[in-house]
Amino acid sequence: MKDAGSKLLCTLLAVALSGAFASDAWAQRQTERSRQKAAAEKQRAGIQQQLAAIKRDINQTENAKEDAADTLAESEAAISDANRALRDLAEEQDTTATRLQALANQQAQLAQTIGAQQQQLAKLLREHYVAGNEDRIKLLLSGDNPNRISRDLQLMAYVSQAQARLLDSVRNNLAQVEVNRDKVENAQQELEEIAQEQLDQKAMLEKEKARRAALLGTLSSKLADQRKQADRLKGDEERMSGLVDRLARLIREQAEAERKRQVAAAAAAAAKAKAKAEADEKARLLAQARAKAAADRRAERERERERIARQNANAKPGVKPEPLPAPLPAPVKEAPVVAEQPRPAPTRPEPAPEVALGPAAPSGSFASLKGRMSSPINGSVVARFGTRRGDGPNWKGTFFKAPEGTEVRAVAPGRVVHADWMRGFGNLIIIDHGGEYLSIYGYNQALLKRPGDTVRAGEAVASAGNTGGNEESGLYFELRRNGKAFDPAGWVRF
């Protein structure tokens, strides 16, 4: 117990010194949030590259004259990016603050547990001191009753085991405190990063809003004139159709590539299973042949022994009997014979797959929601599908009037296939719902989702505005199938 007392004393000193030294290298470590953010940006870059190619294609093939709203494109896109970043940062801040509070609660609980264990260790040290530092050697040499010595030794063993368990528990709790301290410091540093990014984004937002207001002041008359031009409205419509067609082609190509990949994977799995089955069958037949050959040899040996035994029994007196051959040993159960697996044929390395836009929605899921989808925004309908649009073509969608910043929600689950500024529609977001159904949301002040993101029904994907040179704040909403716009009134409850 003397050794145990020394261990207890060392542990108490470790407890007293724990937390006295902080890690100076922490500030140089990259936070987990930064690593995850960098990985997400890298993955998103591939999707943006594909969509940028579509945008360049549209710009190259379009012969429309310069639009005054194009001057606002950069500013409105920057405002959208800043709003989305602020929203993302606010969500991150809430999540990180919740995690930090949970860590603080866990840290307090650990401190309470360690405090109780410290008291228990102190009590054990006092009892050890009062007991006079008796140990096993002194007990064995005491000359006392052997039964009592045996009982006392067993009790001392129990006490030592309990002390060892207590020491292990203290060490584990101290280690957990250090782990939690690192996690708390990481969470606090992440909150500082978020706060700084919020300040930067707010400054950027205010700057771009002032820039847009100045541009609107100089372009107001030109924008008003262009809103009345029928050929401009027709050009906007053709531009939208061109974008939808290209997106539909990209979606089909990726769906076909995924189908081929699954077919190839299934074929490879089937070929592998067939090869394994053939190899197993070959091994089984080989084992059967070996077993039959061994049985035939044993039967032949037994027949030979019986013949010699009969011959010896009928031999004349004085004739030396022929010795019997030794019986063959009983068959030993061998390990199953496994045929050599066929080597796969060498194949050329496949090209790296394109970055997918996101997991495709199940085909047929959108059609099943017909008549049950909620309105994409809380606003008043001022223009319906099919009604005349001034002197230009009929409306291909529905326009909702709503205050700037009103939440725009996805009408059904799907994946974002486009989120960018587009002439005539401002900040535009398009969601693929599978089965060649698309929902389109235009004129937005901010786009809250990026291409490739998966969204739920009712999830906020944008905020209403009047980008793209439009006069009133609100939302332009379309539904399309196979590239053709159709009336959303029978599908969505306005």
Side-chain angles (χ1 to χ4, degrees):
M1 291 185 70
K2 183 177 180 180
D3 294 338
S6 301
K7 290 181 180 178
L8 290 174
L9 183 59
C10 292
T11 302
L12 281 173
L13 289 173
V15 172
L17 292 173
S18 65
F21 302 99
S23 176
D24 295 333
W26 176 260
Q28 301 177 356
R29 279 191 271 169
Q30 187 184 28
T31 63
E32 183 64 24
R33 172 180 175 270
S34 299
R35 287 192 291 270
Q36 292 176 352
K37 190 174 180 180
E41 290 296 335
K42 183 178 180 181
Q43 181 181 12
R44 199 174 291 124
I47 300 174
Q48 292 289 6
Q49 188 175 3
Q50 288 182 331
L51 298 180
I54 292 177
K55 189 174 181 180
R56 284 195 303 270
D57 189 22
I58 291 174
N59 291 338
Q60 288 172 358
T61 57
E62 189 176 62
N63 296 318
K65 61 182 179 181
E66 182 183 357
D67 195 307
D70 290 352
T71 311
L72 300 170
E74 184 179 349
S75 180
E76 290 179 344
I79 290 173
S80 172
D81 291 343
N83 275 310
R84 181 180 62 236
L86 285 170
R87 186 184 180 93
D88 292 344
L89 288 169
E91 291 177 357
E92 274 192 89
Q93 194 173 40
D94 290 343
T95 302
T96 306
T98 301
R99 180 159 53 91
L100 187 60
Q101 183 59 48
L103 288 170
N105 294 340
Q106 189 176 2
Q107 196 81 335
Q109 187 175 0
L110 281 171
Q112 186 178 359
T113 302
I114 290 175
Q117 290 175 333
Q118 285 177 321
Q119 293 179 1
Q120 191 174 357
L121 285 170
K123 182 180 179 182
L124 286 173
L125 280 174
R126 285 195 299 271
E127 291 175 354
H128 179 72
Y129 176 77
V130 172
N133 206 22
E134 293 185 1
D135 56 23
R136 291 174 173 78
I137 300 299
K138 290 175 64 177
L139 186 61
L140 287 171
L141 298 178
S142 65
D144 204 346
N145 186 317
N147 292 330
R148 180 179 176 275
I149 292 174
S150 176
R151 184 179 67 251
D152 289 349
L153 285 172
Q154 188 64 40
L155 289 173
M156 291 174 71
Y158 290 150
V159 171
S160 296
Q161 291 171 7
Q163 290 173 347
R165 287 195 296 270
L166 180 59
L167 288 170
D168 288 341
S169 178
V170 171
R171 291 191 190 98
N172 292 336
N173 285 334
L174 288 171
Q176 188 61 43
V177 165
E178 291 302 317
V179 172
N180 270 29
R181 183 177 291 118
D182 283 351
K183 290 181 178 179
V184 167
E185 289 178 0
N186 182 74
Q188 288 173 338
Q189 197 168 46
E190 286 182 0
L191 283 175
E192 291 173 3
E193 286 180 5
I194 291 170
Q196 183 58 49
E197 288 185 32
Q198 283 177 327
L199 289 175
D200 295 341
Q201 291 296 335
K202 285 178 180 177
M204 175 69 73
L205 182 60
E206 293 303 321
K207 177 183 175 182
E208 292 300 334
K209 280 184 175 180
R211 181 185 170 198
R212 181 173 184 266
L215 288 171
L216 281 173
T218 59
L219 296 171
S220 57
S221 60
K222 192 173 181 181
L223 286 170
D225 292 339
Q226 286 191 344
R227 277 194 289 266
K228 299 174 184 178
Q229 295 172 3
D231 58 341
R232 173 187 172 273
L233 298 176
K234 185 178 179 182
D236 292 344
E237 190 176 301
E238 291 174 352
R239 194 176 306 110
M240 174 64 77
S241 296
L243 173 62
V244 168
D245 289 343
R246 287 171 173 81
L247 286 174
R249 185 163 60 248
L250 176 61
I251 292 168
R252 285 194 297 270
E253 288 172 356
Q254 290 201 344
E256 179 63 17
E258 177 63 16
R259 186 191 67 79
K260 288 181 178 179
R261 188 194 66 78
Q262 291 180 356
V263 168
K272 185 177 179 181
K274 182 180 178 182
K276 184 178 184 303
E278 290 175 352
D280 291 345
E281 179 64 14
K282 184 177 179 181
R284 187 183 67 81
L285 293 175
L286 181 61
Q288 283 184 347
R290 288 181 178 178
K292 185 176 183 302
D296 291 344
R297 288 195 298 272
R298 286 195 301 274
E300 181 63 27
R301 179 64 61 88
E302 287 302 318
R303 286 194 295 271
E304 180 65 12
R305 284 170 55 84
E306 291 175 0
R307 184 189 67 76
I308 293 175
R310 287 194 301 270
Q311 179 179 311
N312 290 339
N314 297 328
K316 295 179 180 180
V319 178
K320 185 177 180 181
E322 184 179 350
L324 292 174
L328 289 176
V332 179
K333 188 174 182 181
E334 300 178 354
V337 179
V338 179
E340 184 179 357
Q341 297 292 330
R343 296 181 180 179
T347 56
R348 290 179 299 177
E350 296 183 0
E354 293 183 348
V355 181
L357 290 172
S363 181
S365 60
F366 186 82
S368 67
L369 298 173
K370 183 177 181 180
R372 298 188 289 117
M373 288 180 276
S374 298
S375 175
I377 192 171
N378 294 328
S380 56
V381 176
V382 296
R384 294 182 177 272
F385 176 88
T387 57
R388 194 70 177 172
R389 190 174 184 180
D391 296 329
N394 294 342
W395 283 90
K396 298 296 184 182
T398 303
F399 178 68
F400 298 84
K401 186 177 180 181
E404 191 172 298
T406 305
E407 272 195 352
V408 175
R409 299 176 294 273
V411 295
R415 57 178 179 176
V416 177
V417 294
H418 179 86
D420 201 354
W421 191 94
M422 183 175 175
R423 182 190 291 182
F425 298 91
N427 291 319
L428 176 72
I429 190 164
I430 302 178
I431 301 175
D432 170 32
H433 301 287
E436 307 221 13
Y437 284 99
L438 299 175
S439 60
I440 299 171
Y441 312 77
Y443 304 170
N444 299 290
Q445 179 195 55
L447 305 177
L448 305 181
K449 298 295 180 180
R450 298 177 175 88
D453 287 349
T454 301
V455 297
R456 305 181 306 274
E459 184 175 358
V461 296
S463 60
N466 61 341
T467 56
N470 294 285
E471 187 175 8
E472 289 186 298
S473 173
L475 168 70
Y476 175 71
F477 175 72
E478 274 190 23
L479 288 181
R480 293 198 177 217
R481 187 185 185 192
N482 297 323
K484 304 296 183 183
F486 62 92
D487 190 357
W491 293 68
V492 181
R493 301 193 303 268
F494 296 150

